[in-house]
């Protein structure tokens, strides 16, 4: 009952949050019921009453069963009075049982409905405080906690910090730092006047807008100019500091609203889980900040003691970070990252860890070791409890006459656990460990018959009651599921090991032989147990890992075997010892930290070498997972999770078979239908599209389409930079490493393991040194960025690629390739041998009329534009025409759920009818004829109007291809210079843009 009810409560709360968020339920008076923590406390009381009644009913049932067994063992001749008393007692207990069962059902239903109401009230409370529209404001900013990242222009790292903004006023004109300092002086003056007069009367007359507060995520990114030094001073802000800023406030964007979400990461749910009301970009800051207690005595007094205590702990975390951050610029990258990981393992502060180190830990499958887990908290609690008990044993053992030793140890452990959990940010794993220590101690103190698994379930439900949005945190699910699996596995494996040891002791007589054999058996059983435990955890957590993150590292199965032990028994204890010594003896703490950093640095070198082995380069598992697959996994694991013998484990075969069939069918469905996926890149002007076309077996004849079977597929990747030449735009923030990693993950998720061709449709002046035009009026400056060519260089290393078409001239390709290769070798000195063994692909100039086709003629590609022989870079861009016998669907790739990627939004051109759409439905012959006509997709990438002007001139001089096509689709950017005459000449029926904005030429054509 407990597991059923607890699971139902969590599922119902998740469903309410999901439905409320998708339907945008309006705010009503329910939020008034959410007064402090009254509703969660009421749910706790209902749960306690329900457990007490159910426990009493269970005890009475057990007592009746015991009496029945005793009566069977002691048979006697019952008298008439005994029979009548048993009859009346059973008849009188029957209504009581019915009432108890009805009461249990009513309380359970009330608990579920109350949990749903709690989730709804939590949602409405978050909706009432969120930012609903973008605005530029001047506000007082109060820093909360430590920043998520530090501002560093060298590594291109931005500043991100959770803060509270208050005293908000609309920004009429741009303010300087000196004007913000004046606002600070006025603020102090108003506080003094408020304290001198009747404060409460004055505040009652204030406008409601001045009392609005938002909890936001501050953002500041590296920028060039005089403001960079001012923004760099943000790293010196301590928790609790206040300063005036001019900000650009913006609401949170959902994953559906966010355009170009390449990773599938739902930042909306992540920020909502942290109770963030919006995002604030920093425009200008005042030159100085002030502490919270300097601003207002009344404000400082109104803050709870817990908040002030939390601020003091956060200030200690900030000071420890500053201690690690000393002389940071003068250290090597390896030393910096070793110290950054050391700090993360001590305080949970990952602000100093760069992207490369995070990627290395993700590839190794040990990212969980960077977070403060229950192991860290438990180690510190055990260390401090052992030290306190040791001192009490020596100095004051008489204390044990009043308090048992285990209670002294328990009080010290829970105190240390809660303080350290607060010191590390009170994340879900640390908070779960602290609360479990408290709950297990209370169970032992009250002698309640409650197992550890039930305590874990109760904590999961309690955390969801007090904070419904914790259900949107990945750490919540991974933490509780991992601990539940550990407890379940430990109880099963421990009994097996004990039975093996008991059997090994029987035939031995000599003491030395017996001891050595038992020792070897224990070592063997421990190693076997560790491997089985790691395999069990990896397989069990694999579905939810794929669901949450979209990929899983196969390296985790191997590296975790030694990394968990190294971190758990060496690095973490030494790190915690250094943290304790930092308070008493800083010099000794620095020495221990140097030792820990050296161990971590060598570990990084080892992991880099292992993950660079050529034979084991394919380390990522990409398999789209949805809730249906997760449900089948749960059904398959259910017989192993329940007690042995309750359900036959052979019952796991049907859901396991269905699971394998579903995964296989999903993978096959991605490769058996002709599809052109529009891949999000994170940049509005950088486009990526991949064509996945099945190779059909036509030996049985073309007429019988059903008899054809797919024999593999062919894939082409199209890349382009659509930044217009005549418009000034922001440069791309993407790098070749980041873009190639994004594209590789998306391609592998689509089951694409090799590319037939890769086309960069826009030219890059950085690849040529033969552009010698001197006509200033006719000079065109193409994109000088080498982002796309260098992205091709990285992708071709990870995915076998047969062809590479590059728009424009590529005279300097091999020179840039060599420099890029040397840069890779210098940045990856440990795997230089692996890098040098690979050869880069050679580019082929994408010229008009260049073509490629399948041997069976089902698919062909032809370059419509691209004239690199002309000494004018404005006509180098290459537009590709895709002709196929089968219709090709154009799909907007959904990184969060690739299996449910929607069709791309299109503009239908009514002025140009489609041959396929004009067929009469009652004429089967015409319909089949239209379906047999090839379809064409024009993948456009022009960045200058001269491309289509030259194409139009050539089309007038040369006859246009008059082959009949069923449907013509144009795919490009809304900034394209395509004219209406070009659309008519190409007989375009449908227009699709990468950025989902309307094409101007298509709008004007439909208007006429």
């Amino acid at each position: 009952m407990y597991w059923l009810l607890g699971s139902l409560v969590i599922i119902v709360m998740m469903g309410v949050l999901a439905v409320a968020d998708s339907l945008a339920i309006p705010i009503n008076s329910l939020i008034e019921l959410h007064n402090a923590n009254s509703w969660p406390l009421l749910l706790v009381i209902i749960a306690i009453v329900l457990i007490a009644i159910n426990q009493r009913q269970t005890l009475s049932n057990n007592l009746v069963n015991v009496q029945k067994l005793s009566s069977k063992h002691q048979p006697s001749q019952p008298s008439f009075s005994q029979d009548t008393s048993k009859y009346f007692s059973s008849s009188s207990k029957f209504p009581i049982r019915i009432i108890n069962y009805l009461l249990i059902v009513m309380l359970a239903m009330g608990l579920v409905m109350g949990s749903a109401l709690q989730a709804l009230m939590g949602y409405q409370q978050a909706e009432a405080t969120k930012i609903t529209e973008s605005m530029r404001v001047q506000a007082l900013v109060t820093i909360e906690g430590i920043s998520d990242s530090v501002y560093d222009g060298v590594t291109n790292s931005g500043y991100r910090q959770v803060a509270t903004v208050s005293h908000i006023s609309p920004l009429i004109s741009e303010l300087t730092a000196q004007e913000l300092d004046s606002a600070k002086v006025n603020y102090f003056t108003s506080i003094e006047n408020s304290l001198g007069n009747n404060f409460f009367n004055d505040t009652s007359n204030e406008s409601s807008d001045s009392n609005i507060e938002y909890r936001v995520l501050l953002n500041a990114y590296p920028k060039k100019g005089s403001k960079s030094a001012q923004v760099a001073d943000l790293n010196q802000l301590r928790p609790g500091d206040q300063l005036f800023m001019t900000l650009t406030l913006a609401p949170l964007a959902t994953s559906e609203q966010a355009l170009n979400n390449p990773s599938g990461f739902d930042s909306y749910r992540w920020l909502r889980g942290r109770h963030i009301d919006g995002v604030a970009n920093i425009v200008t800051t005042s030159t100085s900040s002030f502490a919270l207690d300097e601003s207002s005595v009344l404000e400082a007094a109104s803050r709870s003691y817990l908040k002030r205590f939390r601020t003091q702990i956060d200030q200690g975390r900030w000071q420890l970070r500053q201690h690690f951050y000393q002389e940071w610029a003068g250290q090597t990258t390896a030393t910096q990252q070793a110290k950054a990981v050391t700090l993360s393992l001590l305080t949970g502060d990952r602000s100093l860890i760069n992207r490369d180190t995070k990627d290395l830990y993700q590839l190794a499958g040990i990212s969980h070791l960077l977070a403060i887990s229950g192991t860290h908290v438990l180690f510190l609690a055990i260390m401090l409890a052992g030290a306190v008990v040791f001192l009490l044993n020596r100095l004051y053992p008489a204390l044990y006459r009043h308090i048992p030793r285990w209670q002294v140890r328990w009080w010290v452990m829970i105190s240390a656990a809660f303080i350290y959990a607060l010191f590390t940010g009170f994340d879900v794993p640390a908070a779960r460990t602290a609360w479990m220590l408290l709950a297990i101690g209370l169970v032992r103190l009250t002698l309640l018959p409650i197992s550890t698994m039930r305590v874990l379930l109760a904590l999961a439900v309690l955390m969801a009651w007090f904070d419904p949005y914790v259900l949107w945190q990945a750490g919540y699910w991974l933490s509780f599921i991992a601990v539940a699996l550990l407890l379940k596995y430990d109880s099963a494996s421990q009994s097996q090991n004990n039975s093996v040891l008991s059997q090994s002791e029987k035939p031995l007589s000599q003491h030395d032989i017996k001891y050595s054999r038992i020792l070897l058996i224990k070592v063997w059983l421990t190693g076997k147990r560790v491997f089985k435990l790691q395999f069990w955890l990896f397989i069990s957590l694999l579905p939810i890992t794929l669901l949450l993150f979209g990929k899983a590292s196969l390296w985790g199965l191997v590296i975790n075997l030694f990394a968990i032990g190294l971190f758990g028994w060496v690095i973490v204890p030494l790190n915690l010892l250094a943290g304790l010594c930092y308070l008493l003896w800083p010099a000794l703490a620095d020495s221990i930290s140097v030792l820990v950093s050296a161990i971590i640095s060598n570990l990084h070198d080892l992991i880099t070498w292992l993950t660079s082995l050529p034979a084991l380069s394919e380390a990522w598992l990409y398999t789209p997972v949805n809730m249906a697959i997760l449900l089948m996994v749960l059904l398959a694991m259910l017989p192993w999770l329940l007690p042995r013998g309750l359900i036959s484990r052979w019952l796991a075969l049907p859901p396991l078979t269905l699971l394998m069939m579903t995964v296989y069918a999903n993978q096959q469905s991605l490769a058996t239908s002709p599809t052109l996926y529009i891949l999000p890149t994170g940049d509005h002007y950088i486009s990526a599209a991949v064509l996945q076309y099945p190779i059909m077996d036509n030996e049985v004849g073309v007429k019988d389409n059903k008899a054809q079977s797919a024999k593999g597929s062919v894939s082409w990747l199209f890349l382009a930079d659509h930044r217009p030449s005549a418009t000034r735009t922001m440069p791309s923030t993407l790098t070749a490493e980041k873009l190639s990693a994004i594209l590789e993950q998306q391609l592998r998720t689509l089951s694409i393991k090799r590319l037939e061709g890769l086309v960069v449709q826009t030219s890059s002046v950085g690849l040529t040194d033969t552009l010698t035009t001197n006509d200033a009026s006719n000079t065109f400056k193409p994109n000088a960025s080498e982002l796309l060519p260098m992205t091709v260089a990285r992708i071709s290393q990870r995915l076998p690629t047969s062809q590479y078409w590059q728009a424009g001239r590529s005279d300097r390709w091999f020179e840039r390739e060599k420099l890029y290769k040397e840069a890779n070798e210098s940045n990856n000195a440990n795997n230089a041998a692996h890098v040098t063994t690979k050869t880069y692909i050679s580019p082929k100039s994408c010229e008009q009329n260049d073509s490629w086709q399948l041997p069976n003629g089902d698919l062909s590609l032809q370059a419509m534009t691209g004239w690199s022989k002309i000494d004018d870079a404005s006509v180098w861009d290459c537009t590709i025409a895709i002709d196929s016998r089968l219709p090709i669907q154009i799909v907007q790739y959904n990184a969060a759920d690739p299996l449910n990627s929607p069709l791309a939004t299109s503009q239908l051109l009514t002025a140009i009818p489609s041959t396929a759409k004009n067929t009469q439905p009652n004429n089967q012959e015409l319909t089949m004829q239209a379906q047999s006509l090839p379809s064409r997709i024009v993948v456009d990438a022009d960045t200058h109007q001269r491309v289509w002007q030259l194409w139009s001139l050539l089309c007038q001089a040369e006859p246009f291809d008059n082959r009949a096509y069923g449907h013509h689709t144009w795919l490009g950017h809304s900034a394209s210079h395509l004219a209406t005459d070009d659309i008519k000449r190409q007989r375009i029926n449908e227009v699709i843009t990468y950025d989902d904005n309307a094409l101007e030429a298509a709008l004007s054509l439909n208007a006429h």
Side-chain angles (χ1 to χ4, degrees):
M1 172 188 170
Y2 296 103
W3 285 98
L4 177 62
L5 185 59
S7 303
L8 188 60
V9 165
I10 294 176
I11 292 173
V12 167
M13 294 185 70
M14 285 183 59
V16 169
L17 286 178
V19 172
D21 188 65
S22 61
L23 297 181
I25 297 178
I27 300 174
N28 52 32
S29 59
L30 281 177
I31 196 173
E32 298 178 359
L33 298 175
H34 197 280
N35 189 5
N37 291 326
S38 58
W39 194 258
L41 291 177
L42 179 61
L43 293 176
V44 171
I45 294 173
I46 294 175
I48 292 175
V49 174
L50 177 61
I51 293 174
I53 295 175
N54 183 67
Q55 198 71 19
R56 183 177 179 275
Q57 184 68 27
T58 303
L59 291 176
S60 63
N61 292 336
N62 293 336
L63 183 60
V64 170
N65 294 332
V66 170
Q67 291 177 354
K68 289 181 179 179
L69 291 175
S70 61
S71 63
K72 288 181 180 180
H73 291 291
Q74 297 177 359
S76 59
Q77 187 68 27
S79 61
F80 177 77
S81 60
Q82 290 177 345
D83 291 339
T84 55
S85 63
K86 288 182 180 180
Y87 173 77
F88 285 110
S89 62
S90 60
S91 61
S92 60
K93 289 181 180 179
F94 182 74
I96 297 177
R97 291 182 181 178
I98 295 297
I99 293 174
N100 286 338
Y101 285 129
L102 289 177
L103 188 58
I104 290 174
V105 171
M106 292 176 61
L107 288 175
M109 293 178 61
L111 200 63
V112 174
M113 295 176 62
S115 301
L117 188 60
Q118 168 66 9
L120 184 60
M121 289 188 294
Y123 165 78
Q124 293 195 345
Q125 187 182 32
E127 287 291 304
T129 59
K130 73 174 185 179
I131 298 175
T132 56
E133 59 181 359
S134 300
M135 49 186 167
R136 292 172 65 88
V137 299
Q138 169 196 326
L140 177 65
V141 178
T142 304
I143 303 299
E144 289 189 13
I146 60 175
S147 61
D148 294 343
S149 62
V150 296
Y151 183 93
D152 190 350
V154 177
T155 60
N156 202 31
S157 173
Y159 176 81
R160 293 192 303 273
Q161 170 73 61
V162 178
T164 301
V165 293
S166 58
H167 298 82
I168 301 173
S169 59
L171 186 63
I172 301 176
S173 61
E174 295 291 339
L175 298 179
T176 62
Q178 290 72 22
E179 290 174 334
L180 290 176
D181 291 336
S182 301
K184 169 186 172 182
V185 175
N186 297 334
Y187 175 68
F188 275 110
T189 304
S190 64
I191 289 177
E192 292 176 358
N193 295 334
S194 299
L195 292 175
N197 301 323
N198 189 349
F199 177 77
F200 295 99
N201 291 334
D202 291 342
T203 55
S204 62
N205 296 326
E206 291 181 357
S207 62
S208 59
D209 295 338
S210 62
N211 296 326
I212 295 178
E213 288 188 356
Y214 294 117
R215 195 166 183 265
V216 300
L217 181 66
L218 294 177
N219 291 318
Y221 297 99
K223 58 183 69 176
K224 298 180 181 179
S226 59
K227 290 185 178 181
S228 59
Q230 180 185 358
V231 179
D233 294 336
L234 294 172
N235 295 334
Q236 306 301 321
L237 292 178
R238 301 185 308 165
D241 284 353
Q242 291 183 319
L243 73 163
F244 279 92
M245 293 183 181
T246 56
L247 306 169
T248 302
L249 300 181
L252 301 179
T254 63
S255 56
E256 291 80 9
Q257 296 171 344
L259 183 67
N260 275 344
N261 183 13
S263 63
F265 174 69
D266 197 340
S267 59
Y268 172 77
R269 291 199 171 193
W270 180 70
L271 292 174
R272 268 298 184 92
R274 301 178 67 184
H275 302 283
I276 303 297
D277 300 323
V279 180
N281 294 321
I282 299 175
V283 180
T284 311
T285 63
S286 58
T287 57
S288 61
S289 61
F290 49 92
L292 183 64
D293 53 359
E294 298 176 5
S295 60
S296 173
V297 178
L298 291 177
E299 286 187 11
S302 64
R303 291 167 59 88
S304 65
Y305 289 102
L306 181 60
K307 288 185 177 180
R308 282 186 284 173
F309 179 64
R310 177 70 180 271
T311 301
Q312 292 176 357
I313 289 180
D314 289 334
Q315 290 177 354
R317 296 180 68 194
W318 180 85
Q319 292 175 358
L320 190 59
R321 178 208 284 178
Q322 295 301 108
H323 179 73
F324 276 79
Y325 202 55
Q326 292 177 356
E327 301 178 356
W328 187 261
Q331 300 172 355
T332 62
T333 304
T335 305
Q336 289 178 353
Q337 294 310 300
K339 294 179 65 176
V341 173
T342 303
L343 177 64
S344 174
L345 295 174
L346 185 60
T347 66
D349 182 5
R350 290 189 271 184
S351 59
L352 302 181
I353 302 178
N354 61 18
R355 184 72 262 171
D356 293 337
T357 303
K358 292 179 181 178
D359 292 340
L360 178 64
Y361 275 73
Q362 288 180 0
L363 180 61
I366 55 174
S367 296
H368 59 93
L369 297 178
L370 292 176
I372 297 297
S373 63
T375 306
H376 300 70
V377 180
L378 199 58
F379 259 119
L380 181 64
I382 292 174
M383 289 170 59
L384 291 180
V388 170
V389 170
F390 177 79
L391 292 177
L392 288 177
N393 291 340
R394 296 294 187 271
L395 302 177
Y396 191 58
L399 179 65
Y400 298 140
R401 298 178 182 175
H402 309 282
I403 304 177
R405 182 175 299 179
W406 76 268
Q407 291 188 19
V408 174
R409 189 187 301 272
W410 175 59
W411 281 109
V412 175
M413 289 180 68
I414 61 173
S415 301
F418 276 99
I419 293 175
Y420 186 57
L422 284 172
F423 189 72
T424 57
F426 214 71
D427 290 333
V428 173
R432 183 253 312 151
T433 305
W435 287 114
M436 277 200 70
L437 286 174
L438 177 62
I440 291 174
L442 291 176
V443 168
R444 181 177 178 183
L445 191 64
T446 55
L447 301 178
L448 292 175
I450 302 177
S451 63
T452 308
M453 291 287 285
R454 290 185 178 180
V455 171
L456 185 68
L457 176 64
L459 284 178
V461 174
L462 283 174
M463 293 184 71
W465 280 345
F466 283 93
D467 183 11
Y469 280 103
V470 77
L471 297 172
W472 281 3
Q473 296 185 20
Y476 174 85
W477 295 100
L478 294 176
S479 176
F480 279 100
I481 291 177
V483 173
L485 292 173
L486 283 171
L487 292 175
K488 181 65 179 177
Y489 180 84
D490 184 72
S491 61
S493 63
Q494 189 64 40
S495 59
Q496 295 179 4
N497 291 346
N498 293 336
S499 62
V500 172
L501 287 175
S502 61
Q503 293 176 5
S504 63
E505 294 178 1
K506 293 180 180 180
L508 298 174
S509 58
Q510 298 182 4
H511 177 73
D512 53 347
I513 300 177
K514 175 182 178 181
Y515 178 77
S516 61
R517 182 172 178 181
I518 291 178
L519 182 62
L520 290 175
I521 292 175
K522 285 185 177 181
V523 171
W524 166 252
L525 290 177
T526 302
K528 181 180 177 182
R529 183 182 178 191
V530 169
F531 179 78
K532 290 178 63 178
L533 174 61
Q534 177 58 36
F535 184 79
W536 166 257
L537 285 176
F538 180 82
I539 297 298
S540 302
L541 293 177
L542 183 60
I544 192 169
T545 302
L546 292 172
L547 178 66
L548 294 174
F549 304 109
K551 61 180 181 180
S553 175
L554 300 178
W555 272 110
L557 187 60
V558 178
I559 296 181
N560 274 291
L561 291 176
F562 65 87
I564 291 178
L566 180 62
F567 275 82
W569 295 100
V570 179
I571 295 177
V572 170
L574 287 175
N575 212 20
L576 294 176
L577 181 61
L580 293 176
C581 293
Y582 178 77
L583 303 174
L584 305 174
W585 194 353
L588 179 60
D590 291 339
S591 301
I592 299 175
S593 297
V594 170
L595 175 61
V596 174
S597 298
I599 297 174
I600 293 176
S601 180
N602 291 324
L603 177 64
H604 289 175
D605 295 339
L606 176 61
I607 295 175
T608 303
W609 177 77
L610 284 176
T611 54
S612 64
L613 294 177
L616 302 173
S617 59
E618 302 295 334
W620 289 109
L621 176 64
Y622 301 94
T623 300
V625 174
N626 51 24
M627 294 303 297
I629 294 179
L630 200 63
L631 179 61
M632 284 185 283
V633 171
L634 181 61
L635 292 176
M637 294 177 57
L638 191 62
W640 276 268
L641 296 176
L642 294 176
R644 182 184 293 271
L646 184 62
I647 297 180
S648 175
R649 294 185 174 179
W650 288 103
L651 294 177
L653 287 179
L656 189 61
T657 305
L658 183 61
L659 173 64
M660 292 187 294
M661 293 174 61
T662 303
V663 173
Y664 178 77
N666 290 338
Q667 295 292 333
Q668 291 297 314
S669 64
L670 296 173
T672 55
S673 58
T675 308
L676 181 66
Y677 292 93
I678 300 176
L679 305 178
T681 61
D683 190 314
H684 291 273
Y685 291 105
I686 302 294
S687 69
V690 61
L691 172 64
Q692 197 168 17
Y693 197 91
I695 302 176
M696 308 302 294
D697 185 5
N698 294 337
E699 294 180 359
V700 295
V702 178
K703 295 182 180 180
D704 189 6
N705 292 332
K706 295 182 179 180
Q708 300 179 15
S709 59
K711 300 177 64 175
S713 62
V714 63
S715 301
W716 280 77
L717 179 63
F718 306 94
L719 303 176
D721 189 346
H722 301 272
R723 278 176 169 76
S725 58
T727 306
R728 187 177 180 180
T729 59
M730 291 292 293
S732 178
T733 59
L734 289 173
T735 61
E737 292 78 8
K738 183 178 180 181
L739 181 57
S740 60
I742 290 172
L743 293 176
E744 181 188 357
Q745 177 174 348
Q746 294 171 348
L747 294 176
R748 291 190 180 275
T749 304
L750 295 173
S751 301
I752 297 176
K753 299 180 180 179
R754 68 177 306 275
L755 293 172
E756 175 63 30
L758 207 158
V759 183
V760 176
Q761 298 180 260
T762 50
S763 60
S764 174
V765 74
L767 294 182
T768 181
D769 52 4
T770 59
L771 187 61
T772 58
T773 180
N774 294 321
D775 187 0
S777 62
N778 198 36
T779 300
F780 167 70
K781 295 181 179 179
N783 185 11
S785 172
E786 300 173 3
L787 170 65
L788 297 184
M790 294 302 100
T791 301
V792 171
R794 293 187 66 90
I795 292 179
S796 61
Q797 298 300 293
R798 304 296 300 170
L799 295 173
T801 306
S802 301
Q803 304 181 53
Y804 167 31
W805 294 8
Q806 171 65 53
R809 301 175 183 175
S810 306
D811 311 310
R812 301 179 60 193
W813 165 256
F814 294 101
E815 176 187 346
R816 305 307 301 168
E817 173 194 30
K818 181 179 178 181
L819 293 176
Y820 175 74
K821 187 175 181 180
E822 292 175 353
N824 268 355
E825 292 176 0
S826 61
N827 292 333
N828 303 281
N830 291 315
N831 60 339
H834 171 50
V835 174
T836 55
T837 56
K838 290 195 173 184
T839 58
Y840 288 90
I841 192 170
S842 298
K844 172 186 177 299
S845 181
C846 187
E847 295 285 334
Q848 186 199 25
N849 292 329
D850 285 348
S851 62
W852 171 93
Q853 69 174 2
L854 283 174
N856 58 11
D858 288 350
L859 176 68
S860 64
L861 275 67
Q862 182 178 8
M864 297 178 61
T865 64
W867 300 273
S868 62
K869 295 180 181 179
I870 300 178
D871 203 13
D872 185 359
S874 62
V875 295
W876 288 359
D877 296 334
C878 183
T879 296
I880 301 295
I882 304 173
D883 299 328
S884 70
R885 185 178 59 84
L886 298 175
I888 300 177
Q889 285 187 335
I890 302 180
V891 173
Q892 186 72 47
Y893 177 83
N894 182 8
D897 190 3
L899 296 177
N900 295 321
S901 297
L903 294 176
T905 305
S906 63
Q907 296 175 259
L908 294 178
L909 303 182
T910 57
I912 305 176
S914 171
T915 305
K917 294 181 180 290
N918 285 341
T919 56
Q920 300 296 327
N922 57 355
N923 193 331
Q924 183 178 2
E925 182 179 355
L926 290 177
T927 303
M928 293 184 62
Q929 181 182 359
Q931 290 180 352
S932 63
L933 293 177
S935 62
R936 166 168 284 196
I937 299 177
V938 178
V939 184
D940 187 15
D942 67 287
T943 57
H944 198 278
Q945 59 185 358
R946 294 175 189 165
V947 175
W948 288 111
Q949 289 175 354
L950 181 57
W951 181 84
S952 299
L953 293 175
L954 293 177
C955 282
Q956 292 178 1
E958 299 177 3
F960 183 71
D961 186 3
N962 291 321
R963 287 182 298 172
Y965 289 96
H967 192 66
H968 283 213
T969 303
W970 181 90
L971 173 63
H973 199 273
S974 61
S976 172
H977 299 86
L978 189 69
T980 55
D981 293 337
D982 301 327
I983 295 178
K984 294 178 180 179
R985 191 173 290 111
Q986 297 180 52
R987 298 192 290 273
I988 301 293
N989 313 116
E990 185 180 19
V991 171
I992 298 175
T993 58
Y994 288 110
D995 54 345
D996 282 339
N997 293 327
L999 183 66
E1000 186 175 348
L1003 291 177
S1004 60
L1005 187 62
N1006 278 337
H1008 296 300

